[in-house]
Amino acid sequence: MNLTQAVLTVPSHMVPGGIPQPDLKQLGFSDYEHCSIIDSTKLTRFTFSHPTKHATEAQFDDAIEQFIWLFAKGTPYVIDKSFTGKTPDSRHRYYYTNNKRICEAIN
């Protein structure tokens, strides 16, 4: 399976001002979009797309963990990952809340 896209969602109030651009090479992607959702949810979303040729899920996981360290300690997050190379294509969601990480398959 190949990781084709990843979306990190965190509460906006946990994202510090002036956060640096993520290291896309380290994450294994060549493009990203930073979007603040200004409605009742008050979320900030980082969408990583266009994976590099040799990107791996493990590489992304290591790099995104370092990126998350830039947020306030204990920041809850959700990471949605999309994969190809398996029939059918699959998506997984990872939650971090109450100091626990939970994974589930989503359609």
Side-chain angles (χ1 to χ4, degrees):
M1 286 193 313
N2 298 318
L3 182 60
T4 58
Q5 180 177 335
V7 180
L8 168 66
T9 306
V10 296
S12 293
H13 69 279
M14 304 295 269
V15 179
I19 192 165
Q21 177 176 331
D23 184 340
L24 294 176
K25 183 177 180 181
Q26 187 179 14
L27 286 160
F29 286 92
S30 58
D31 193 23
Y32 94 105
E33 179 183 348
H34 176 187
C35 171
S36 293
I37 303 166
I38 310 298
D39 61 10
S40 61
T41 60
K42 297 180 180 158
L43 297 172
T44 296
R45 186 166 288 144
F46 299 87
T47 303
F48 301 96
S49 56
H50 302 100
T52 58
K53 188 175 182 177
H54 300 290
T56 66
E57 183 181 11
Q59 172 187 358
F60 175 81
D61 289 345
D62 290 343
I64 202 69
E65 182 179 349
Q66 292 177 18
F67 183 64
I68 290 170
W69 290 344
L70 299 174
F71 305 141
K73 184 177 181 180
T75 296
Y77 64 81
V78 175
I79 299 175
D80 291 333
K81 296 179 182 177
S82 299
F83 299 89
T84 61
K86 187 176 185 181
T87 307
D89 291 351
S90 65
R91 293 180 61 211
H92 291 87
R93 176 167 287 158
Y94 298 83
Y95 296 95
Y96 179 80
T97 188
N98 298 326
N99 295 320
K100 288 192 275 185
R101 187 172 181 200
I102 301 162
C103 174
E104 66 181 29
I106 55 177
N107 293 326

